């Protein structure tokens, strides 16, 4: 049993991932950046770092999702959290259109973004390859999603604060010299700051400790970084020292996640002990 898998670009997946990727947009008063394979990420980050005006993001519309699904008889759509974006709502509208035409579509609100979405998609691909029926795959993936989590370590929360995603007071704290905010995605899909850490080393140690508190015992981990390979490598080392059997993948944030994580940020998707 095979089914199409689609996701928005906050998943950070490359074009050759086997997933139909629907791009979001990063928008300013002067420019618009499409979060697809043609995006010059370094150029976007440099521009945004010097830009002082309004900026925000725009989610795919219903037609974008319909184009991604096409005439596939069975599809799964994985979206960025509905707590931060209207992406899931647009996908639900596309689902209704497809079901009127006899197609089966399951929309999964990740209540997260980036690397946690990748964990979900990776499991869906395994279920598809194993020939699991669409109905059983939906039941299994929803159960699996109760055991996946997102944590983050951010050096700058300016864009999150400007777009109402975090408190300006929390963002101001992150702007102080050497302070990093460590937190998680809440059960409602919002960002929940937990710790203010001075320095990268302390932030990574705190991140690893909180992962263990969440139930991580050496399963899958996806680390997405925004121009901070050093921190991703240091966190990988901490985790493999504590849990030698853990399965760690590291990737760079794409456009949408880079906009919110900003330079130096880490997003970490993890499995608990299942």
């Amino acid at each position: 049993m095979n089914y199409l898998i689609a996701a928005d670009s906050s998943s950070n997946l490359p074009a050759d991932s086997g997933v139909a990727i629907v791009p979001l947009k990063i928008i300013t008063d002067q420019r618009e950046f499409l979060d697809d394979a043609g995006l010059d990420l370094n150029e976007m980050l440099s521009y945004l770092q010097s830009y002082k005006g309004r900026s925000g993001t725009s989610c795919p519309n219903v037609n974008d999702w319909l184009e991604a699904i096409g005439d596939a008889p069975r599809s799964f759509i994985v979206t960025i959290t509905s707590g931060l974006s209207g992406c899931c709502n647009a996908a639900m509208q596309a689902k209704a259109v497809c079901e009127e035409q006899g197609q089966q579509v399951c929309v999964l609100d990740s209540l997260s973004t980036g690397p946690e979405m990748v964990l979900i998609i990776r499991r869906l691909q395994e279920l598809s390859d194993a020939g699991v029926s669409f109905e059983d795959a939906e039941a299994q993936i929803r159960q699996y999603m109760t055991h996946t989590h997102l944590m983050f370590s951010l050096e700058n929360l300016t864009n999150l604060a400007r777009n109402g995603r975090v408190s300006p007071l929390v963002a101001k704290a992150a702007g102080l010299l050497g302070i990093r905010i460590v937190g998680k995605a809440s059960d409602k899909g919002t960002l929940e700051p937990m710790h203010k850490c001075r320095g990268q080393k302390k932030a990574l140690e705190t991140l690893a400790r909180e992962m263990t508190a969440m139930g991580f015992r050496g399963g899958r981990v996806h680390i997405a970084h925004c121009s901070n390979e050093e921190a991703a490598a240091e966190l990988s080392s901490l985790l493999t020292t504590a849990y030698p059997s853990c399965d760690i993948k590291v990737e760079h944030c794409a456009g949408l996640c880079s906009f919110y994580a900003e330079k130096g940020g880490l997003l970490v998707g993890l499995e608990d002990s299942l």
Side-chain angles (χ1 to χ4, degrees):
M1 176 68 68
N2 291 101
Y3 15 87
L4 180 143
I5 302 171
D8 63 71
S9 60
S10 72
S11 60
N12 301 318
L13 289 169
D16 61 357
S17 62
V19 176
I21 304 297
V22 181
L24 292 101
K25 296 176 182 178
I26 296 90
I27 300 171
T28 74
D29 289 336
Q30 300 173 350
R31 296 189 61 179
E32 179 177 293
F33 299 91
L34 185 65
D35 188 15
D36 64 3
L39 176 65
D40 186 332
L41 186 59
N42 289 329
E43 196 273 337
M44 184 193 84
L45 289 172
S46 295
Y47 170 79
L48 291 173
Q49 195 168 25
S50 62
Y51 177 72
K52 303 302 180 183
R54 293 182 301 175
S55 60
T57 61
S58 174
C59 67
N61 60 37
V62 176
N63 287 332
D64 292 329
W65 285 116
L66 290 174
E67 184 177 341
I69 295 169
D71 59 0
R74 294 168 294 276
S75 304
F76 283 92
I77 297 176
V78 184
T79 75
I80 186 175
T81 172
S82 58
L84 296 179
S85 169
C87 205
C88 184
N89 182 58
M92 289 297 294
Q93 294 178 55
K95 166 184 166 75
V97 173
C98 289
E99 289 181 341
E100 288 179 358
Q101 302 171 354
Q103 297 168 271
Q104 290 179 287
V105 179
C106 172
V107 176
L108 299 169
D109 180 354
S110 70
L111 297 177
S112 187
T113 191
E116 186 174 358
M117 291 174 66
V118 178
L119 290 174
I120 296 166
I121 291 164
R122 190 173 170 186
R123 179 57 65 91
L124 277 172
Q125 290 176 319
E126 291 171 348
L127 294 171
S128 179
D129 291 344
V132 177
S133 72
F134 184 85
E135 293 78 9
D136 287 347
E138 178 175 356
Q140 290 186 41
I141 199 63
R142 291 192 184 280
Q143 175 62 24
Y144 176 71
M145 289 170 64
T146 66
H147 296 282
T148 62
H149 311 275
L150 179 78
M151 295 206 65
F152 57 84
S153 171
L154 304 179
E155 297 181 13
N156 193 328
L157 281 71
T158 301
N159 289 334
L160 285 167
R162 284 176 178 171
N163 288 271
R165 309 312 192 203
V166 298
S167 162
L169 292 176
V170 173
K172 185 176 181 180
L176 299 175
L177 184 62
I179 296 296
R180 289 161 172 79
I181 302 298
V182 172
K184 65 179 181 179
S186 73
D187 293 340
K188 295 182 180 179
T190 57
L191 298 182
E192 182 179 317
M194 300 168 67
H195 302 280
K196 299 174 185 176
C197 303
R198 185 172 296 279
Q200 181 167 280
K201 183 176 185 294
K202 179 66 173 178
L204 295 176
E205 290 172 349
T206 301
L207 192 57
R209 185 178 68 248
E210 288 294 345
M211 289 173 65
T212 296
M214 278 187 171
F216 178 71
R217 296 294 183 271
R220 289 175 171 173
V221 181
H222 275 261
I223 303 172
H225 68 89
C226 183
S227 301
N228 199 349
E229 293 182 9
E230 178 186 0
E234 288 182 15
L235 179 60
S236 296
S237 179
L238 285 173
L239 296 176
T240 53
T241 297
Y243 305 104
S245 64
C246 62
D247 176 7
I248 300 178
K249 307 292 185 186
V250 177
E251 61 259 346
H252 199 291
C253 291
L256 191 285
C257 283
S258 290
F259 174 74
Y260 282 126
E262 302 191 55
K263 283 190 175 181
L266 287 186
L267 303 176
V268 183
L270 63 135
E271 295 176 337
D272 63 29
S273 57
L274 302 176

